[in-house]
Amino acid sequence: MLQVLRDLGEYVRAALPQDRVDATIARGELTLAVQRVDLIKVLTFLRDDANCQFRQLVFLAGADYPEREERFEVIYHLLSLRHNQRIRLKVTTDEVTPVPSATGVFASANWFEREVWDMYGVAFSDHPDLRRLLTDYGFEGHPLRKDFPLTGHVEVRYDDERKRVVYEQVKLTQEFRSFDFLSPWEGSKLPGDEKAEGKN
């Protein structure tokens, strides 16, 4: 199986010689590291080429590595049902440089890219509707960034008494919680416990 993945990686690199594609195999999966400017061309090739036929974008996710110059990775997982193979593409970017939207190649990328925008703040150029997907309308920041603060932001909620949306500072009533593991439920004996103790 590893040889099949090596052959596929070499085939893709040979078919796209002018593009900067780096192929590696880790944990039994082929990963292609692609430059942002080449992303759409590589995705289109993988979808349309007869030897590839990766027609399904299964998943698209983000990752944050704050110590890197280009701290964000956008990861694409593709599936070829015809050849029973999977492939992963990775693209890196920083906080201000957008990644080309894959919605023109795979329609399923639409909401995946919206989620990555909402959670990490990675922008996608030419996206048809890039707006928040999981957080509230007035939410500030991107919660899956490693430098996202845990407290001090505004909470948006609907107040039934006021019949409107209200903005309130987030209040954590307890900074550290100590659990009492000697509660009456854990320390008491129940009827029938003596039978279970006798089996030892």
Side-chain angles (χ1 to χ4, degrees):
M1 185 62 182
L2 288 178
Q3 188 57 44
V4 173
L5 295 176
R6 285 190 196 97
D7 293 343
L8 178 60
E10 289 304 315
Y11 175 76
V12 171
R13 291 188 68 192
L16 302 166
Q18 68 277 17
D19 298 315
R20 296 160 295 226
V21 178
D22 183 32
T24 58
I25 297 176
R27 298 181 185 90
E29 293 184 1
L30 176 63
T31 301
L32 301 178
V34 181
Q35 300 294 320
R36 282 187 304 273
V37 295
D38 303 322
L39 174 66
I40 301 304
K41 185 175 185 179
V42 173
L43 285 173
T44 305
F45 172 80
L46 290 172
R47 182 193 66 186
D48 297 340
D49 185 76
N51 293 323
C52 297
Q53 296 190 22
F54 290 96
R55 301 263 167 92
Q56 288 185 313
L57 173 66
V58 177
F59 190 66
L60 188 158
D64 184 13
Y65 300 95
E67 67 279 359
R68 297 182 185 173
E69 185 176 339
E70 291 194 338
R71 67 183 283 186
F72 299 111
E73 277 187 357
V74 181
I75 303 108
Y76 302 79
H77 292 263
L78 304 177
L79 172 66
S80 172
L81 292 173
R82 174 63 58 105
H83 300 295
N84 191 24
Q85 289 181 328
R86 293 176 183 269
I87 196 169
R88 178 189 304 126
L89 271 75
K90 288 185 179 182
V91 175
T92 61
T93 189
D94 55 24
E95 297 180 20
V96 294
T97 309
V99 174
S101 176
T103 54
V105 183
F106 296 103
S108 61
N110 190 326
W111 278 31
F112 288 138
E113 290 177 352
R114 285 181 59 191
E115 181 180 354
V116 171
W117 157 249
D118 193 5
M119 296 290 106
Y120 293 96
V122 175
F124 292 90
S125 59
D126 300 324
H127 190 282
D129 186 23
L130 192 61
R131 57 190 164 97
R132 291 194 181 269
L133 181 66
L134 300 173
T135 57
D136 293 323
Y137 297 114
F139 192 86
E140 293 180 18
H142 304 281
L144 288 184
R145 286 187 177 186
K146 298 281 176 67
D147 55 1
F148 185 77
L150 298 179
T151 61
H153 283 281
V154 176
E155 177 185 17
V156 181
R157 67 176 182 84
Y158 180 78
D159 189 347
D160 199 36
E161 292 177 7
R162 299 181 196 171
K163 303 293 184 203
R164 66 181 181 91
V165 174
V166 295
Y167 296 84
E168 297 173 335
Q169 287 291 329
V170 174
K171 295 179 194 136
L172 297 179
T173 57
Q174 202 170 2
E175 294 246 351
F176 178 74
R177 202 164 164 190
S178 177
F179 292 97
D180 179 16
F181 293 105
L182 297 175
S183 69
W185 293 103
E186 294 179 18
S188 62
K189 295 238 178 219
L190 299 174
D193 284 351
E194 64 279 354
K195 294 177 187 174
E197 290 173 2
K199 291 182 179 179
N200 293 336

